[in-house]
Amino acid sequence: MISTLHDGTATTRGSGQGSLLQPDRFARWAWVWAYGAVVTTLAAVRYSLYVVHGYSLSGYLAAFSLITHGQSKDLLTNPLTRAIASNHSWIIWVLAPLTSVLGVGFLFFLSALVVGSGALAVYRIGQLWQLEPRTSAVISSLYLLYPSLIAANIYDFHPGVWAAPLLLWLVWFALKKSWWGFGIMLVLMTGLGISVAGALVLTGIGLLLSKKSGWFGAADLTFTVLYWSLAHGGLILPHWAWAGRLSLRTVLYLIWALLPPSVAAGALFRRRSALNHWWLLAGGVLAWNIARGSVADTSPFTDHSALLAAFGAMALLSCDSITGRLGKWALLWSSGWVVLMGAYLYHSTWRPRPANGAEIAAALSLVPKSSLLVSQSYILPHRGVTVRNWPTTVITSRTIPNHTYVLLNPEISDGYSTSPILTAWLNIAKSPGKSHIRYHAAGVWLFQLTRPLPPQSLGG
């Protein structure tokens, strides 16, 4: 293998295991494996404590089950998989058989490793640009320590967060003039779904404006336009509209997005060479998230904000070297924000977790695997890869079949099961003519319908 040293000379390195065990390369991989171990552990602990938000994880598990059972035609009709299918994400066909065998923990570990690999891409881009090894190491560490990236990787399973590392590898292959690697990364990006089109466009602009990578930027933009057109059956321009509003939530979002890298960025901006187009592209991601105005887009702890880690890393790499003292302060500052994020998430979501986990597990054990279960988003994923899960919200939209099991824990909300929905289900549980109670302890209700339940009107 031919590699380039920081002084521009070339040397030949061995391939295979010996290459990996070289001190510098082993140290970089050790960071990735350590990141993977820590993030996977946190995700597994959160999952075991029933701290799950949204139906994304149960949706992917349902999609995997439909695919492995040859029922992929039902992806657009299942209430949990409809949004996933409409995103045109083909990666679910690759993950379906693997997850069916290896379980939910495999998803957490794979996601952590993929996201962590972005640190290697950052380091190698720094090598190609002949930056000091310490500078490359500091910036790759700042990438790993970006709070939005960590939080998006811990919570549930969102392949969209993989866009951050894949974009960095896309840039690396472009800078290496490797059309094969560049093409493979573009194809892998489409596996995450059409929602990555915006990030691909920004990356293409970044490459177009960079020295000696203009053709790769043009290829990126051309590919993205073709991909977008195929997914929508024609070149349909996206609807650009400002749906957001300047509010306290927006201000808090800007604080979480901008302050973690502010020490490194602020010190570098004193130098004229620190101004580069990657800062504007990172600002484009930030402005787009605020413009869309949804709760998910203006949350600093989702994959929508994780993209800032990739564009921010590119902006820092395009600056001058980060000195030893600045690097230390930048790492300490960013680490402090990670600690602050952990304290905030623990206080807001982990601490008010269900205290009746044993009762939830006991109720789940009474539900046959072949039976349909209606439940809340933090309970459904614990059934594993199955299509026999429905969210509580289906009570207003479709007929619930006879003999369906319903498992409720009204003590803790999942953000989707509103008070009227939970009340309606509890009224059904207390109606002997409509259901039969199978388990009731510590606020946990498990009952089975004794007749089909038509869609309910919950009033205004």
Side-chain angles (χ1 to χ4, degrees):
M1 179 184 296
I2 305 297
S3 60
T4 305
L5 296 178
H6 301 294
D7 60 3
T9 60
T11 183
T12 302
R13 291 184 177 179
S15 58
Q17 186 180 24
S19 176
L20 176 62
L21 293 179
Q22 290 186 8
D24 177 73
R25 186 167 299 182
F26 180 80
R28 304 321 309 164
W29 272 104
W31 272 104
V32 174
W33 285 104
Y35 176 87
V38 172
V39 170
T40 302
T41 300
L42 291 173
V45 170
R46 175 205 54 77
Y47 171 78
S48 67
L49 295 176
Y50 296 95
V51 183
V52 181
H53 298 274
Y55 285 105
S56 56
L57 181 55
S58 53
Y60 280 105
L61 296 179
F64 297 156
S65 180
L66 286 171
I67 291 170
T68 55
H69 288 87
Q71 301 173 359
S72 56
K73 58 181 176 58
D74 295 329
L75 287 170
L76 282 171
T77 59
N78 186 287
L80 287 174
T81 62
R82 190 181 301 115
I84 297 172
S86 62
N87 191 37
H88 304 286
S89 173
W90 56 260
I91 196 70
I92 59 177
W93 270 265
V94 177
L95 296 176
L98 296 173
T99 309
S100 298
V101 175
L102 301 175
V104 176
F106 162 75
L107 292 178
F108 297 152
F109 184 60
L110 177 64
S111 187
L113 285 185
V114 172
V115 172
S117 73
L120 289 178
V122 172
Y123 190 79
R124 291 183 179 183
I125 292 171
Q127 286 182 314
L128 286 175
W129 284 347
Q130 300 182 18
L131 300 180
E132 295 179 3
R134 181 173 294 179
T135 295
S136 300
V138 167
I139 298 175
S140 65
S141 299
L142 290 175
Y143 163 84
L144 291 177
L145 289 172
Y146 192 65
S148 296
L149 193 70
I150 297 175
N153 207 6
I154 289 176
Y155 273 79
D156 303 338
F157 172 69
H158 302 95
V161 75
W162 295 6
L166 291 184
L167 286 176
L168 290 168
W169 285 111
L170 186 74
V171 172
W172 184 69
F173 280 115
L175 296 175
K176 279 193 65 180
K177 310 295 182 184
S178 173
W179 283 105
W180 277 107
F182 185 78
I184 291 173
M185 287 299 111
L186 282 177
V187 173
L188 287 177
M189 283 292 292
T190 65
L192 307 183
I194 194 64
S195 58
V196 303
L200 278 173
V201 168
L202 290 176
T203 306
I205 295 174
L207 293 173
L208 201 61
L209 297 177
S210 299
K211 295 180 180 178
K212 300 180 180 180
S213 62
W215 284 110
F216 287 89
D220 178 313
L221 294 174
T222 303
F223 178 89
T224 305
V225 170
L226 292 174
Y227 171 53
W228 178 273
S229 300
L230 287 173
H232 291 85
L235 184 55
I236 300 175
L237 296 179
H239 179 66
W240 304 100
W242 183 274
R245 62 183 184 275
L246 298 179
S247 62
L248 178 59
R249 181 180 178 85
T250 304
V251 173
L252 293 175
Y253 175 64
L254 289 173
I255 289 174
W256 277 106
L258 298 177
L259 285 188
S262 61
V263 168
L268 290 173
F269 263 116
R270 292 181 302 177
R271 311 170 190 173
R272 192 172 182 179
S273 59
L275 300 176
N276 60 78
H277 61 274
W278 290 103
W279 292 116
L280 295 177
L281 297 176
V285 175
L286 195 62
W288 174 243
N289 289 340
I290 295 174
R292 295 179 67 177
S294 70
V295 174
D297 290 303
T298 53
S299 169
F301 309 124
T302 65
D303 49 315
H304 299 273
S305 298
L307 283 172
L308 292 168
F311 287 99
M314 287 304 305
L316 290 174
L317 286 170
S318 300
C319 300
D320 287 337
S321 298
I322 297 179
T323 60
R325 178 175 294 180
L326 173 59
K328 291 178 180 178
W329 278 109
L331 290 174
L332 285 173
W333 176 256
S334 190
S335 299
W337 277 93
V338 172
V339 173
L340 183 62
M341 176 195 71
Y344 171 78
L345 292 179
Y346 174 79
H347 176 77
S348 62
T349 59
W350 290 46
R351 186 176 59 83
R353 63 185 181 271
N356 47 7
E359 287 75 18
I360 295 175
L364 274 174
S365 66
L366 299 177
V367 182
K369 292 184 178 180
S370 59
S371 296
L372 180 64
L373 174 67
V374 172
S375 191
Q376 292 152 282
S377 65
Y378 54 85
I379 296 176
L380 291 179
H382 288 264
R383 296 191 79 201
V385 178
T386 177
V387 73
R388 307 297 291 166
N389 282 347
W390 278 4
T392 56
T393 52
V394 297
I395 192 173
T396 63
S397 60
R398 61 175 57 194
T399 298
I400 315 295
N402 191 18
H403 306 304
T404 296
Y405 283 83
V406 182
L407 175 55
L408 302 177
N409 179 34
E411 304 295 327
I412 299 293
S413 172
D414 62 357
Y416 289 85
S417 304
T418 62
S419 179
I421 288 177
L422 290 176
T423 300
W425 279 118
L426 288 176
N427 288 336
I428 295 169
K430 299 171 184 178
S431 302
K434 296 180 180 180
S435 68
H436 176 68
I437 296 178
R438 299 294 185 182
Y439 182 89
H440 182 208
V444 175
W445 293 77
L446 174 66
F447 56 95
Q448 189 176 16
L449 298 182
T450 55
R451 64 175 64 177
L453 181 69
Q456 305 290 296
S457 175
L458 304 184

